[in-house]
Amino acid sequence: MNKPAPRASDPETIRAEILEKLTYAIGKDPAVAKRHDWLNATVLALRDRIIDRWMESTRAAYQAKAKRVYYLSLEFLIGRLLRDALNNLELNGAFTQALQDLNVDFDLVAALEPDAALGNGGLGRLAACFMESMASLGIPAYGYGIRYNHGLFRQKIKDGWQVELPENWLEHGNPWEFGRREAAYEIGFGGQVVLGIETGNRQQRKWKPAEKLVASACDTPVVGWRGKRVNTLRLWTARAMDPIRLDAFNSGDYAAALAESNKAEIITRVLYPADSTAAGQELRLRQEYFFTSASLQDIIRRHMQQYGEVHSLAEKVAIQLNDTHPAIAVAELMRILVDNHGFDWDEAWDITRGSIGYTNHTLLPEALESWPVHLFEHVLPRHMQIIYQINARLIADAQKRPDCTAEFLASVSLIDEHNGRRVRMGQLAYAGSHSINGVSALHTSLMKQSVFRDLNTLYPGRINNKTNGITPRRWLLGANPQLAALLDESIGQSVLDDAERLVEARRFATDAGFRQRFSAIKRHNKDELANLIAARMGIRVDPAAMFDVQVKRIHEYKRQLMNILETIALYNAMRAHPDKPWAPRVKIFAGKAAPSYAQAKLIIKLINDVAQVVNGDPAIRGLLKVVFIPNYNVSLAEVIVPAADLSEQISTAGMEASGTGNMKFALNGALTIGTLDGANVEIMEHVGRDNIVIFGLTAEDVERKRRMGHDARATIEASPHLRDVLAQLASGVFSPDDAGRYRPIIDSLYNSDWFMVAADFDAFATAQRQVADIWRQTEDWTHKTILNTVSMGWFSSDRTIREYAREIWNVPVA
């Protein structure tokens, strides 16, 4: 089939296309069109151009019989798509001019596009970066996830407390997506397993679910850099087999008439339903099986359509599990191959392991999912049988080892017998994958020593490292276009074609003209953030002050608590010693706490209570401000990241798998203060020890303290500043309406300090004074931050995806 003729990309042509969409798709005359009408018309005009490349990409992969990559993730934090797609197609200027000719402000229109509520934090944003890089590198790929009606909640702060509200991102439809009625699959739950026809020496088993619903696909195009390739993000929505029971409706029982529809649709309504109740746990498990089963059925349908058989699946298909959420894929693929396609167990197991790779993102036991066996048997009875069978063979392999012990068997087993009998999904993903990768060098090393130590002994050679990366198209060109232009000009070509060429700009770190322009760009970005804070929060901050930023999911291991406690200590010192040359700071926080995570929500309240006291105290003369910006998302990050001077990456060592925020901030010219955790270790290697501020316990130190017993009370008593801060919390200085409000925080530090907040506090405070010293030496600060920017090319997601393609998926890259 001939390729379509390329469309003209001049503003006049584009203006006509937008007007055509406004008239015939939106149904509006330009004279009465509102901004949201112009947004939809602009998206539809751009979408037409993307479709041409999308179809061409799909045809080319089919004709070449190319191996496809399928990326299964419960989250895809894609953010706004309009500006991103325009940048990747190099049409931003033309579309901006076309709208300007129509007396429409592009920036005001683009700001109306809602963030897709398809993720929470780093896991989902990584998946989005990977999808963009796969398209940019010419890899045929599909992303598979759930089309959440509301996704993660919208965060509001009321009286300092987090309040969760529904995120209505689909309220006015989604012009980017295409419904695919033909891609619809039955998904079963519950029921029983019955014996079928005996073939050879094997008795067939057939699962007869008690309940069925339908998964239907919605596709969104993912545009690669320079439009080289357009891939597909396929998201599943759930509906009942029959939308309404007419008999119940006609009898007047309207609730019963819609009960099945409501039960089906609830699966795709909210991301991460609270699993503190039995009903919440079951809904989470249903969500994970729902999207995984639909995705695998779709993969096999596409493979059968092209090749007519399933034997070659592992040769033509690479399935990557993004964390444990889709780990049920191991059992589901075995069920499909054995029960539906008649494969014997060993061949099915070879195909399954040959097709699947597993990315681990955490060493936290609570994040390595496990499910009660009774729940699993109730929801997925056939899969429970398959997991027992996989486990029996795994245990048999372990028993062949001469050093096998009961402890070793318990460690490698897919069933945890010590906690009420639970199915370990991380263990299942490991057993059923040919590759298990960590996401930073330290994390991968710790995987081998901790959560998968004995499985690595039993099945060595499967664990490998793929340090995370970020797409420079979104996080440099999109978020910081002036800096992108400066870097392109400096090295004489686009750094977006090959981010690793950024290092060629290293020589400009001492160039006076470059440094002046670099600093001016940073100040412009800080002015933008200051204006946003004033508009949203009513707080005036000085863009000349250091913007000290910690934005990420609120969790105790990420240690926002340590940051705000040190902020109180700094506030105390400023009041006590007003004569000292303090570095002015704006402490900026943002992030969401899980609705049922009481301690994390209390930390948010503490940040806001401290802000109220500090920001209203004239004694410190505006030298310190504290701001918590609500409803952190990708679009907010695109304003905060380029404006940050200091990046807080202060997690308890050994607990952050990688981090990608650390990469985004450094790329945009922020100095990092952090522990030797996750990818901070590799960032230090690339930027140089003198250009990052490292403090605190190492992962080995943390493990040793926990093993030997950490005397938190003695540590606090030996730290006068921390002791005073905790005394202030206890006396109600920051909570005069409720002096006991922060007792849970105080007790957790004195009685446990599991996350080493007290243990690292003094080292953190010392590091912050070091940061202040560097800040006061303006030339030194600028030099260090430039070196951070130009050293970040290796942390491009293009490099990460090339490693996946070469070492796990066995697919070529362009």
Side-chain angles (χ1 to χ4, degrees), residues 528-539 541 586 588 627 629:
E528 293 290 312
L529 179 55
N531 291 337
L532 182 149
I533 291 170
R536 293 194 188 180
M537 315 288 299
I539 300 172
V541 298
V586 180
I588 298 170
V627 179
I629 308 177

Side-chain angles (χ1 to χ4, degrees), residues 732-766:
V733 168
F734 299 99
S735 56
D737 58 323
D738 180 5
R741 177 179 297 148
Y742 296 112
R743 177 54 55 189
I745 286 175
I746 297 166
D747 289 346
S748 73
L749 294 180
Y750 270 102
N751 299 328
S752 171
D753 193 28
W754 178 257
F755 298 100
M756 302 293 158
V757 169
D760 267 347
F761 182 86
D762 284 350
F764 179 52
T766 299

Side-chain angles (χ1 to χ4, degrees), residues 50-316:
I50 293 171
I51 288 171
D52 294 337
R53 298 169 188 256
W54 197 11
M55 291 182 174
E56 182 184 327
S57 298
T58 303
R59 282 193 298 265
Y62 187 86
Q63 291 164 2
K65 296 186 175 180
K67 187 174 186 178
R68 293 181 177 90
V69 173
Y70 297 103
Y71 198 81
L72 273 62
S73 179
L74 201 60
E75 297 185 41
F76 285 95
L77 202 56
I78 56 178
R80 292 170 176 162
L81 295 179
L82 175 57
R83 198 183 296 272
D84 198 46
L86 285 171
N87 282 335
N88 275 10
L89 290 171
E90 300 176 286
L91 291 172
N92 197 27
F95 267 75
T96 300
Q97 184 62 54
L99 286 169
Q100 184 176 315
D101 293 344
L102 293 164
N103 297 314
V104 177
D105 187 315
F106 174 78
D107 291 332
L108 293 178
V109 166
L112 292 178
E113 183 180 7
D115 275 52
L118 300 172
N120 177 17
L123 181 83
R125 186 53 231 170
L126 180 78
C129 284
F130 278 7
M131 287 299 298
E132 194 270 357
S133 278
M134 283 188 271
S136 294
L137 295 173
I139 297 173
Y142 279 72
Y144 281 114
I146 293 178
R147 181 184 179 271
Y148 303 102
N149 293 73
H150 301 293
L152 197 70
F153 59 87
R154 177 166 54 92
Q155 182 193 55
K156 182 179 178 181
I157 301 298
K158 185 176 182 181
D159 298 327
W161 292 98
Q162 171 179 290
V163 177
E164 300 95 25
L165 300 170
E167 182 63 86
N168 295 319
W169 74 287
L170 290 171
E171 184 177 10
H172 302 295
N174 178 8
W176 289 106
E177 70 182 10
F178 296 81
R180 303 299 194 198
R181 284 172 28 183
E182 74 282 3
Y185 304 96
E186 288 187 7
I187 311 295
F189 297 103
Q192 59 183 328
V193 181
V194 299
L195 293 177
I197 300 171
E198 187 170 339
T199 56
N201 296 321
R202 187 164 57 88
Q203 183 80 55
Q204 286 287 95
R205 284 171 172 78
K206 187 171 183 62
W207 178 28
K208 290 191 172 182
E211 174 191 345
K212 290 183 180 180
L213 53 81
V214 176
S216 296
C218 290
D219 287 354
T220 299
V222 178
V223 183
W225 174 235
R226 299 193 194 276
K228 178 181 295 184
R229 180 177 180 83
V230 179
N231 281 330
T232 302
L233 175 60
R234 175 159 286 186
L235 303 176
W236 300 105
T237 187
R239 59 180 171 83
M241 300 285 286
D242 295 309
I244 187 171
R245 280 184 51 208
L246 283 176
D247 59 336
F249 190 88
N250 290 332
S251 67
D253 193 347
Y254 306 128
L258 296 173
E260 289 303 310
S261 282
N262 289 334
K263 190 174 182 182
E265 291 168 8
I266 202 170
I267 286 182
T268 58
R269 197 154 285 166
V270 174
L271 169 65
Y272 296 142
D275 58 0
S276 53
T277 65
Q281 287 184 27
E282 181 170 337
L283 177 55
R284 180 84 71 92
L285 179 57
R286 283 169 170 257
Q287 277 189 334
E288 295 180 2
Y289 177 67
F290 164 79
F291 100 89
T292 302
S293 176
S295 303
L296 289 176
Q297 290 184 64
D298 197 47
I299 291 167
I300 290 174
R301 186 267 310 164
R302 185 175 297 108
H303 185 83
M304 288 283 291
Q305 180 178 303
Q306 182 159 16
Y307 300 104
E309 46 77 26
V310 191
H311 295 272
S312 62
L313 193 71
E315 299 168 27
K316 294 296 184 180

Side-chain angles (χ1 to χ4, degrees), residues 476 479-490 513-529 639 641-645 667-669 782 789:
L476 184 59
N480 204 342
Q482 292 184 27
L483 181 57
L486 174 61
L487 294 166
D488 284 355
E489 178 187 325
S490 301
F514 184 95
R515 290 158 68 110
Q516 184 176 10
R517 291 175 64 187
F518 187 91
S519 297
I521 291 167
K522 177 63 74 173
R523 178 54 188 260
H524 166 79
N525 296 332
K526 293 176 70 175
D527 287 340
E528 293 290 312
L529 179 55
V639 181
V641 168
D645 293 306
L667 176 64
N668 283 275
T782 302
T789 290

